[in-house]
Amino acid sequence: MTPDRPAVVESAGIGRVRVTSYRDLRLLVDTYTSHLRDLGIGIGERIILEADVTAQSIAMLLACSAAGLTFIPVSPETPAQRLHSMISTARPALHVQPTDGKRDALPGGVGTARFDTAGITVVERPPTGRSLRREACVTDPAYMIFTSGTTGRPKGVVMSHRAVVSFYRAMLEYRIVTPRDRVASTSPLQFDFSLLNIGLALGSGAAVVPVAQQLVRWPRNFLRVLRETGATQVNGVPSIWQQALRYEPEKVAALDGLRGILFCGEEFPLPELRRIRELLPQVRIINCYGATESMACSFADVPDPLPDDLERLSIGSGHRGAELLLVNEAGHVIDEPGVPGELYLRSPALFSGYWDDPAATRAALVPDPLCPQSGQLVLRTGDVAYRGHDGELYFCGRSDSQVQINGNRVELGEVERRLLEFPGATAAAAVPLPHAASGTVLGGFVVVSNDAPAADAASLREFCADRLPSYMVPREIRLVETLPTTTNGKVDRAALISSAATAG
Ligand code: ADP
């Protein structure tokens, strides 16, 4: 044990960093835990933790676990209406936010409190009742995360301590960082990617470097914080790199202390990935695939060098102790290479269920297709993939990302891949657009790099027409500066669809 080593390294303004050692973090966790216990909230009750990722909020979530309370991480940017709907669904005993948190006017019946380095200060006492619980156990919910809804309506994903610990153990076996590393975490607290980063860093004896959302959005500030905090590993969705690669490539190249990048959440556009490889040849890049329902399911190193003819990145196979299966529409396991099927995950790190939604839970946690007799449940991911010759998997898209265009089945990911082959294209999204006469037409949104030769919608359409059947050529093509993103930083397809509708 080296308690003086940094556990959390935060930017504290230009040129300044704040370091919290493992010892100080431990002390803060102990203080919060004892204050939580003093509140008399029963084991198993829920707490909304509304905060950015900071040393204090990390201590608070650890304290919740120590006190046997389920935390629900929420970002301060969450609209009031969404927060209120989470409260009415999850019925938490307490809402906690930092002392300088801006949230007010919460519905009655919920206790409220504030926290800082001194501990927890109660504003409105939480309701206390007789609890039947004596002990917290490993199958209790550690946390509940409301998904952002890019894969359907928001659902409360309940994860047990057992699932989280199994996932962390498996992740640590992939040997991503060492105690010498500093892991920049760029996701908001409500996105379980931030919990992955915290577990990765603290489980490895390394330091977490939380990067605030407003810094991630400005490439110059983002890169400055990475430099000033001495980050050696950067974890985030692919979009965190988009602006930096476009406007500050020399500053990206100057990150000579960086050793690793891990991305998760969506496919990395290959042209941007190639650019990162050129600018940061020393960096190991890991593709992490998975959903909130299991934190993540696989890790795969991106090949170095990237072959010129590479079509797709592999997502690898399940992490240690888990297995990813491909299942066809008849429910049979697919073994041959090249045949697409739905990904099913057999794992000890599965979520327990969707909060108060048994029908949705039954649809996602299904009998193991390999051995339905065992009673064991597995996760139906809703994602489509196929196997390569060595058994490695290739992600093709969500099973619901297939759309019908004039009676033809179109895989949106396929259209995106072709758009990305356009010279100078760095990112692309294909979306179905409602159309009065034709029902649905395809829309293509493309980002082209600043130094590429002049491009327009007509040249892009011609490019697609040479490479795709006519029904797959987007009817609406737009060149855009950037693709809009959700609060979790993934491409916001709903925003693209409504932007096309507004523009007429
Ligand atoms: P949300 O629905 O809130 O976006 P998730 O983060 O759980 O929630 O989304 C998980 C989905 O993101 C996966 O089912 C998959 O479709 C996609 N995804 C995650 N990681 C990757 C990856 N490395 N490559 C491609 N797609 C990914």
Side-chain angles (χ1 to χ4, degrees), residues 265-293:
E266 61 189 352
E267 284 178 280
F268 212 120
L270 282 177
E272 290 183 348
L273 202 57
R274 289 188 194 285
R275 191 81 177 111
I276 292 187
R277 268 270 189 271
E278 274 166 35
L279 297 172
L280 296 166
Q282 78 281 9
V283 164
R284 173 188 184 197
I285 306 178
I286 296 174
N287 181 4
C288 167
Y289 157 81
T292 315
E293 285 81 350

Side-chain angles (χ1 to χ4, degrees), residues 184-264:
S185 176
T186 60
S187 296
L189 189 66
Q190 69 190 5
F191 187 11
D192 63 338
F193 199 172
S194 64
L195 304 180
L196 180 153
N197 297 332
I198 294 166
L200 174 65
L202 300 186
S204 306
V208 192
V209 178
V211 187
Q213 291 305 294
Q214 65 272 26
L215 293 172
V216 177
R217 290 186 202 117
W218 297 99
R220 201 167 278 192
N221 292 337
F222 174 42
L223 297 171
R224 174 180 56 76
V225 168
L226 294 183
R227 242 186 358 263
E228 289 178 355
T229 53
T232 59
Q233 168 82 29
V234 180
N235 290 5
V237 289
S239 71
I240 60 166
W241 295 102
Q242 211 176 74
Q243 303 286 334
L245 291 174
R246 194 176 170 96
Y247 299 110
E248 308 284 351
E250 316 77 39
K251 292 202 166 70
V252 174
L255 294 173
D256 46 12
L258 200 62
R259 295 174 56 247
I261 288 177
L262 179 144
F263 69 89
C264 188

Side-chain angles (χ1 to χ4, degrees), residues 327-348:
V327 178
N328 68 16
E329 277 167 14
H332 299 137
V333 175
I334 303 169
D335 205 24
E336 314 84 315
V339 182
E342 185 174 344
L343 281 165
Y344 282 50
L345 176 67
R346 311 175 74 229
S347 166

